[in-house]
Amino acid sequence: MHLKDFLQNFNASNFFVYICLLIFALLLSLRLDDIIKWNYGAVFFPIWLWNAMWMAALTVGVIVFIRKRELREDEEQRINFKAMILSAVLQSVVFLQEILIVVNIESGKHKWSAIFTPGYLLCLLCMFACIWSCWRHRGIELELLGILNILQLIFIGVRLDGLTSWRWAVVLIPTWILIVVFCIGIPVYGLVLIGLHVTSENPQEIKKRRLPDVGVIISASIMAVCIIVFTSLLVRRLDDHNTFNCTAIFIPLYMALLVLMVSTITRQPGNPLWFGIRKDFYEWAVKTIPVLQEYFNISYNYPDEMMVLEGVKVVSESKHRHRGEKLKAPVGHIEQLDVPD
């Protein structure tokens, strides 16, 4: 894959989030197995790092948007700014939920049904975010998952408070339903893509989208298997049907997160206003780190220039070359100037 195409479809923000979640899942499994004796505030360090990163990105993005008048006058940038603020509101609620969970794990003084109150609010905010995103023709990922999670939070809160003695296999029924819908959606999505490719009249567009579409289907299939295995092992452990340690149970979850990390190369880039970048990630990366362009030989631009050397005038024209192309001669023409003795 060409480096430009690779970076153009790379979602750096999602990649960072998945790395933090992977490290957190590893630390959590080690803590549950008593391999490490840290308190849960330290175990949640990758989550705190994620929240610190988006707070810094939001602060810089807001400052840049306020200071740059051309951004405020651009309709697309105004929509990006609103999307960034809406995402920040959702992540603020998630941050509050994480703090309450850590506090209650350490103290155990409060009802879990009350602790999950920010989660219930998050579901309502995600509903608004989905409506706004559809209206603005923007992508929807975690917002839809947040809407569908409200019933699961209620079930878990009731079970942890001891208000019911349901087995965990019953408590996680909303999750099972989501898994079934996800598994059904994979072949449906594949059939839709096949239909679009067959009916498309643009061969170049088909060739451009073939690899990302195949990558999405493969990654979604692997994720479905990993999530099913992880949920099944976790439920059986919670219901005392097996004695596997948590590190082994979490292995499918690690694999699912690794697949998500790899899949970020086939996704659309995130909001360009985070950290005030104001451009796609690949443009920012290549401009900020020129060695990427030189090492991977993306392209070289030779500007028009006029050179006069020792009475010989050389006119060179701009050429755009890639690796593997042969130099075409002559590049320019030479004029001999008569110089008096």
Side-chain angles (χ1 to χ4, degrees), residues 114-175:
I115 291 296
F116 288 146
T117 300
Y120 309 145
L121 176 62
L122 179 66
C123 297
L124 300 177
L125 292 175
C126 285
M127 187 179 302
F128 171 77
C130 285
I131 295 174
W132 185 86
S133 298
C134 292
W135 177 44
R136 293 296 186 178
H137 304 288
R138 301 182 69 89
I140 299 175
E141 292 184 2
L142 299 180
E143 293 86 353
L144 185 59
L145 183 61
I147 294 175
L148 301 175
N149 243 359
I150 184 169
L151 188 60
Q152 185 62 84
L153 286 176
I154 295 174
F155 280 21
I156 293 177
V158 170
R159 179 65 176 81
L160 291 176
D161 289 337
L163 301 178
T164 180
S165 58
W166 295 347
R167 294 183 298 113
W168 282 97
V170 178
V171 173
L172 295 180
I173 283 179
T175 299

Side-chain angles (χ1 to χ4, degrees), residues 24 40 66 72 91 110 129 136 154 157 160 180 211 293 299:
F24 168 69
Y40 281 93
I66 293 175
R72 300 195 303 271
Q91 295 189 68
H110 307 283
R136 293 296 186 178
I154 295 174
L160 291 176
V180 171
L211 181 59
Q293 185 172 1
S299 63

Side-chain angles (χ1 to χ4, degrees), residues 85-95 121-122 125-126 129 143:
I85 296 298
L86 182 57
S87 177
V89 171
L90 297 178
Q91 295 189 68
S92 299
V93 178
V94 173
F95 182 46
L121 176 62
L122 179 66
L125 292 175
C126 285
E143 293 86 353

Side-chain angles (χ1 to χ4, degrees), residues 235-293:
V235 166
R236 292 185 65 83
R237 170 63 187 272
L238 293 174
D239 288 334
D240 296 326
H241 292 311
N242 66 43
T243 57
F244 297 156
N245 57 41
C246 292
T247 306
I249 292 174
F250 275 56
I251 288 177
L253 181 61
Y254 305 150
M255 296 177 61
L257 290 172
L258 288 173
V259 170
L260 284 173
M261 290 169 57
V262 174
S263 68
T264 55
I265 66 175
T266 61
R267 298 189 178 185
Q268 293 300 318
N271 195 320
L273 282 183
W274 290 109
F275 281 112
I277 294 177
R278 293 171 290 163
K279 60 184 68 176
D280 290 338
F281 177 77
Y282 82 95
E283 295 180 356
W284 174 83
V286 172
K287 184 177 180 180
T288 306
I289 312 175
V291 69
L292 290 177
Q293 185 172 1

Side-chain angles (χ1 to χ4, degrees), residues 16-17 20-21 44-59 87-88 90-99 274-275:
F16 178 77
V17 170
C20 291
L21 291 177
F44 272 69
F45 173 76
I47 305 298
W48 309 141
L49 180 62
W50 164 23
N51 286 278
M53 185 63 68
W54 73 254
M55 288 179 185
L58 173 68
T59 302
S87 177
L90 297 178
Q91 295 189 68
S92 299
V93 178
V94 173
F95 182 46
L96 176 60
Q97 180 68 86
E98 293 161 355
I99 293 176
W274 290 109
F275 281 112

Side-chain angles (χ1 to χ4, degrees), residues 158-220:
V158 170
R159 179 65 176 81
L160 291 176
D161 289 337
L163 301 178
T164 180
S165 58
W166 295 347
R167 294 183 298 113
W168 282 97
V170 178
V171 173
L172 295 180
I173 283 179
T175 299
W176 295 121
I177 295 175
L178 288 179
I179 292 174
V180 171
V181 172
F182 184 69
C183 292
I184 295 175
I186 294 174
V188 172
Y189 180 72
L191 292 175
V192 171
L193 291 179
I194 293 174
L196 292 175
H197 287 180
V198 170
T199 58
S200 178
E201 298 179 354
N202 189 349
Q204 295 296 331
E205 184 66 22
I206 295 177
K207 184 178 179 181
K208 181 180 178 181
R209 289 299 308 168
R210 184 179 298 156
L211 181 59
D213 291 342
V214 172
V216 168
I217 295 175
I218 294 176
S219 62

